[in-house]
Every structure is written in C-alpha cells, then in structure tokens.
C-alpha cells in the first residue's frame, strides 16, 4: 500500500488532480487498492479551489506517507511557516516528495531544492531561478527526479510524473496500461519548449507585434532584420534592440520559432512531404528544418509527425 498525501491550499488549481486520477487508474489496472490518497491542508476541513468549489481535507499531522505531493495554483501563493515546516518534515519521513508546476516554490522555500535539479511550469521557471539561485532549474524538462525529490512542469505534466512513479513502483506494464486508459503518451517526447516557444513571443508594443505579424504572413521570404525593421517602422539597430527587450529573443530566433510552429502544424494537419513543408515555411531544405526542430522542440520532425499519427489513431 502506497499512502499518498496530496496537499492543497486556498485557490488551488483542479488540474493538479490529474495525478490523483493516474493513481486511481493504477488501482483499477492492478485490481486492488495499491494507492490510497488523502487530501491535506494546513487547517483541514473544506478548501476552495480556484474554480470556486471546495474539497474536504485532513489537517497536517504526523501521519507517515509514502509520497507527499504539493498541489499547484495559477499563481504563486504566500507560504506559511506551517506549510514550510510540513514540507521539511515530509522530506524526512516520506519516501519521496513531489511538486508539480508551481508546487516547486513550496519545496524551494523549504530549502529542499537547494543544490538539486528541478523544474516547474515554463512561465515560472525564471522566477524560480531568480528567487532561489541555489536551485538548478532546468526549464525545458517535463519532470525531474533528483533523489527523493520529484518536480514537474505545468499541471498536466503531473500525469507524466505520476506515470513515472507508477512505473517505478509497479513496472512498465502497469504504467503503460494507465497511460492507455488516460489516452496519453506513456513517455512524452520533447520538453516544455514545444509548448512555450510561441507563447513567449508576446511583445508590448504595436510596432514589434507588426513585425511578428509580417513574419508570420511571409515565412517563405528571407525575413532579414532590415526587412522586419521596415515592417515595424524602425531602423535595424533600433528594431533589434527593441525586439530583444520585448520578447527576450533575437529576431532571427523568433523567425525560426515561427517557422518551426508553422511546419509543425503542417505536419500534424496534412500529408505534405518534408521537402514541401521545408520550402513552404522558409527553411528551403529539410535538413535545415530538422536542425531547427531539434533546437526549438528537442525532437526531429519525424517524431512530431509520428506522434500526430498515433494520436489520430487512438480510438
């Protein structure tokens, strides 16, 4: 029996319960209750989610858990001394502690990530690194296991985390069975960059947005800095400086990201050859597109196409 304590707090995000569902499916796959879940909170009683309805919880005590998992929210919530103390105690008493998404901030505040590798949702990764420089943040990872401490990316990545735990506890066959029941990949290909790359292109000014819109509409063109600057109504030097300040990327990297995203959509939605896709999205040749995919998504175009076909074939 693996007793899991799942910690929630006011305004927790319900998607974090996806991990709980994975453990439930493991019980069904094995035909017995091997995972027992208890919802925990600092004060006990009803705790309301960000959706507005609540769940009943048990207050922190000295119960011994096999695994303690800290839930996440849509923003970083203040951490009380009691929560920090419970995290530290759990690290000493449980076989493993886990924190999907923003739950990593609880572990970091408790000092449990000092000197360890960890990840979190890509949108909070830099904040985690800035606030806790002793943590070795790897922002592109879906999940990381460092000793007895497990962290994962955004809240759906808690499924990946739970599947890895299930595989460690009961073998690959059970984990695969759970993944099939949930209609997810047993092991997801790629890192968070495949989800965050375009979302990071959120400029603050209309001029830079115009240049991005121009690039999207003209991917087959060369799209030099001078061409993009002209679309923005700036000199090349002003444009390069403003673009990096607003997006955190160089214009060349942003154009590559836009091309990768357009090519990915063509692979997922159609049956064009790699050569045709490379030409249509401005890469010119398939090998250049492949190298860009590896830099941006961490996987080659063939993997993207294979995953898309597998998803389409799932009954």
């Amino acid at each position: 029996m693996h007793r899991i304590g799942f910690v929630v707090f006011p305004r927790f995000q319900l998607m974090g319960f996806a991990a709980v569902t994975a453990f439930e499916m493991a019980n069904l796959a094995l035909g017995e209750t091997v995972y027992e879940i208890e919802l925990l909170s600092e004060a006990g009683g009803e705790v309301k989610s960000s959706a507005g309805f609540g769940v009943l919880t048990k207050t922190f005590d000295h119960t011994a858990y096999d695994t303690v998992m800290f839930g996440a929210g849509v923003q970083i919530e203040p951490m009380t001394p009691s929560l920090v103390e419970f995290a530290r105690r759990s690290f000493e008493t449980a076989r493993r502690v886990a924190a999907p998404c923003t739950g990593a901030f609880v572990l970091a505040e408790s000092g449990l990530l000092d000197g360890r590798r960890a990840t979190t949702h890509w949108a909070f990764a830099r904040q985690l690194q800035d606030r806790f420089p002793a943590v070795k943040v790897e922002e592109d990872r879906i999940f990381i296991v460092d000793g007895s401490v497990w962290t994962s990316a955004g809240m759906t990545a808690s499924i990946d985390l739970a599947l890895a735990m299930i595989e460690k506890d009961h073998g690959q066959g059970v984990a695969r069975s759970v993944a099939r029941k949930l209609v997810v990949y047993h092991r997801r290909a790629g890192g968070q960059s495949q989800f965050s790359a375009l979302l990071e292109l959120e400029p603050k000014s209309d001029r830079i947005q115009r240049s991005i819109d121009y690039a999207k509409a003209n991917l087959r063109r060369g799209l030099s800095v001078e061409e993009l600057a002209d679309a923005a109504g700036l000199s090349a030097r002003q444009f390069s400086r403003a673009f990096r300040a607003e997006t955190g990327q160089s214009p060349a990297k942003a154009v590559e990201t836009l091309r990768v995203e357009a090519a990915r959509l063509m692979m997922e939605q159609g049956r064009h050859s790699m050569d045709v896709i490379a030409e249509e999205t401005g890469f010119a040749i398939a090998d250049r597109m492949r190298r860009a995919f590896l830099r941006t998504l961490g996987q080659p175009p063939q993997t993207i196409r294979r995953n898309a076909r597998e998803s389409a074939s799932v009954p």
Side-chain angles (χ1 to χ4, degrees), residues 5 7 11 52 60 68 75 83 88 90 107 138 141-142 159 169 171 173 211 222 242 244-245 247 272 301 306 311:
V7 178
R11 297 174 299 282
F60 296 157
V68 176
Q75 59 187 21
L83 177 61
R88 290 171 178 163
S90 298
L107 300 188
E138 297 182 18
R141 297 293 297 277
I142 297 296
I159 299 175
D169 295 340
S211 71
R244 185 177 289 277
T247 68
H272 299 290
R306 183 172 62 251
S311 295

Side-chain angles (χ1 to χ4, degrees), residues 31-161:
E32 60 178 311
T33 303
V34 295
Y35 292 104
E36 182 180 88
I37 314 293
E38 290 186 356
L39 297 182
L40 310 174
S41 70
E42 184 173 352
E46 184 183 47
V47 177
K48 288 202 171 180
S49 69
S50 59
F53 61 86
V55 296
L56 291 179
T57 66
K58 173 183 171 183
T59 190
F60 296 157
D61 60 19
H62 291 275
T63 300
Y65 294 99
D66 175 76
T67 302
V68 176
M69 187 172 290
F70 293 85
V74 294
Q75 59 187 21
I76 310 302
E77 299 289 345
M79 280 157 265
T80 64
S82 177
L83 177 61
V84 170
E85 193 275 331
F86 181 74
R88 290 171 178 163
R89 187 167 73 243
S90 298
F91 176 73
E92 296 295 332
T93 59
R95 179 164 64 103
R96 58 196 173 200
V97 294
C101 196
T102 57
F105 283 79
V106 177
L107 300 188
E109 185 70 32
S110 306
L112 303 183
L113 296 183
D114 287 358
R116 294 183 185 273
R117 297 163 52 243
T119 192
T120 187
H121 190 290
W122 63 267
F124 294 96
R126 292 173 190 169
Q127 185 179 347
L128 181 65
Q129 187 67 87
D130 290 343
R131 283 183 56 181
F132 304 100
V135 181
K136 301 173 183 176
V137 178
E138 297 182 18
E139 62 181 88
D140 193 44
R141 297 293 297 277
I142 297 296
F143 71 88
I144 288 176
V145 182
D146 191 326
S148 62
V149 179
W150 300 53
T151 53
S152 76
M155 282 166 278
T156 60
S158 65
I159 299 175
D160 302 80
L161 191 74

Side-chain angles (χ1 to χ4, degrees), residues 194-213:
Q194 62 189 301
F195 308 105
S196 66
L198 273 185
L199 296 176
E200 288 183 336
L201 289 177
E202 295 182 343
K204 299 179 179 64
S205 70
D206 291 340
R207 284 186 170 188
I208 300 302
Q209 184 60 58
R210 278 204 307 273
S211 71
I212 292 173
D213 293 340

